[in-house]
Amino acid sequence: MADSAPFTDPCLGTYRPVPAAGPGVCLVCHSGPPSGRDICHSCSFTMAQVSYPTRHVVPVSLYQAPGELWHVLRQYKDGSGPASGLLAVQAAAMLAQFTASHLPCLRQLLGGGPDLVATVPSTRPGQREAGHPLETVVRAVVSLARLRAPLLAPGTAGTGHNQPDDDAFQPTRKLSGERVLLIDDTFTTGARVQSAASALRRGGAAAVAAVTIGRVIWPDWNPNCRRIWDQASHEPFSFDTCCLCRDHGGHGGGDP
Ligand SMILES: [Zn+2]
Ligand SMILES: [Zn+2]
């Protein structure tokens, strides 16, 4: 997208900044871990279920469910209703704005590249043939589209909401040490992202980092989630910084 700011600027107030990993912020997904832990409950669980989990999850924005961004990320792929096309444009504009500023941050995370860009395939039966709307979103982002490759197909195991599995997805071709940027729209438990990351590594990828447009936060889950959401709600969102290049700020982790 040549100029995506006009699509995101009116919505900046509905995006929430993602904190840098550090004390009180999950090292993987940037939500709130239990007190005294580096990694949140979801990531600890999902990463243990697959052979090659990734520790690199980079959300563009936090969101609450229900909420405005939650609505965008649910409805854009719905395909029904006159607004879904516009919402898909907004999702693409968010990715475009983000990658325009932070591809170097992702490159550093991956140790180079990215050589290829892949999306997490839909596990909804109706969307397998039609192609996932996320593919359309990624195709609209020039810097990602030129590296895009269909590297994953639904596997034999399927993915339950909480059931990461090495066989949830299968690599569609043999890779030879490429660094892959994996794109998904939302991150809830990480089951989809970790299953996909593991399949890519099994297929020969050297490194996988995942960019997700949104990462849901449940403020009542634990004190760190509450603090992260409160801070994110008071701080203006900007595409100038991401959770990889911003300061941790020295907050958090101190709840008893
Ligand atoms: Zn986490
Ligand atoms: Zn950055």
Side-chain angles (χ1 to χ4, degrees):
M1 299 179 67
D3 190 1
S4 48
F7 298 98
T8 54
D9 280 356
C11 308
L12 284 179
T14 68
Y15 308 154
R16 296 286 177 269
V18 182
V25 179
C26 176
L27 292 182
V28 180
C29 76
H30 302 257
S31 78
S35 179
R37 306 290 286 272
D38 291 336
I39 294 181
C40 76
H41 177 78
S42 283
C43 289
S44 301
F45 175 77
T46 55
M47 291 172 76
Q49 308 300 308
V50 296
S51 302
Y52 303 103
T54 179
R55 293 178 67 88
H56 305 316
V57 178
V58 185
V60 176
S61 171
L62 302 178
Y63 70 95
Q64 216 178 2
E68 287 102 333
L69 185 56
W70 172 81
H71 172 75
V72 171
L73 297 176
R74 268 174 72 97
Q75 300 296 318
Y76 89 92
K77 55 191 169 188
D78 190 350
S80 64
S84 64
L86 255 180
L87 298 179
V89 169
Q90 191 189 151
M94 286 183 79
L95 266 184
Q97 288 273 93
F98 183 81
T99 50
S101 298
H102 303 291
L103 262 185
C105 304
L106 297 166
R107 192 171 296 134
Q108 204 167 17
L109 199 61
L110 282 164
D115 305 303
L116 293 168
V117 169
T119 53
V120 182
S122 173
T123 42
R124 286 197 211 170
Q127 282 177 344
R128 288 188 190 183
E129 304 80 30
H132 195 292
L134 183 61
E135 279 287 320
T136 311
V137 163
V138 170
R139 267 190 232 117
V141 181
V142 176
S143 58
L144 301 179
R146 63 190 177 83
L147 302 173
R148 191 184 66 85
L151 300 181
L152 292 169
T156 52
T159 42
H161 193 56
N162 273 314
Q163 294 300 325
D165 194 305
D166 275 340
D167 295 317
F169 303 106
Q170 57 191 7
T172 55
R173 70 183 214 213
K174 188 90 191 110
L175 297 173
S176 45
E178 288 89 340
R179 297 175 176 96
V180 180
L181 190 61
L182 184 62
I183 311 281
D184 206 1
D185 41 29
T186 55
F187 186 104
T188 305
T189 62
R192 281 166 50 78
V193 158
Q194 295 299 359
S195 299
S198 196
L200 288 167
R201 289 284 308 285
R202 272 190 305 135
V208 176
V211 168
T212 72
I213 301 174
R215 200 290 176 234
V216 73
I217 291 281
W218 308 102
D220 293 335
W221 187 253
N222 65 36
N224 278 323
C225 288
R226 166 63 61 193
R227 178 187 45 77
I228 287 169
W229 183 253
D230 286 349
Q231 284 179 1
S233 301
H234 287 102
E235 197 181 326
F237 180 94
S238 165
F239 283 105
D240 293 342
T241 55
C242 77
C243 62
L244 301 175
C245 63
R246 65 187 302 155
D247 292 334
H248 179 262
H251 305 294
D255 54 287

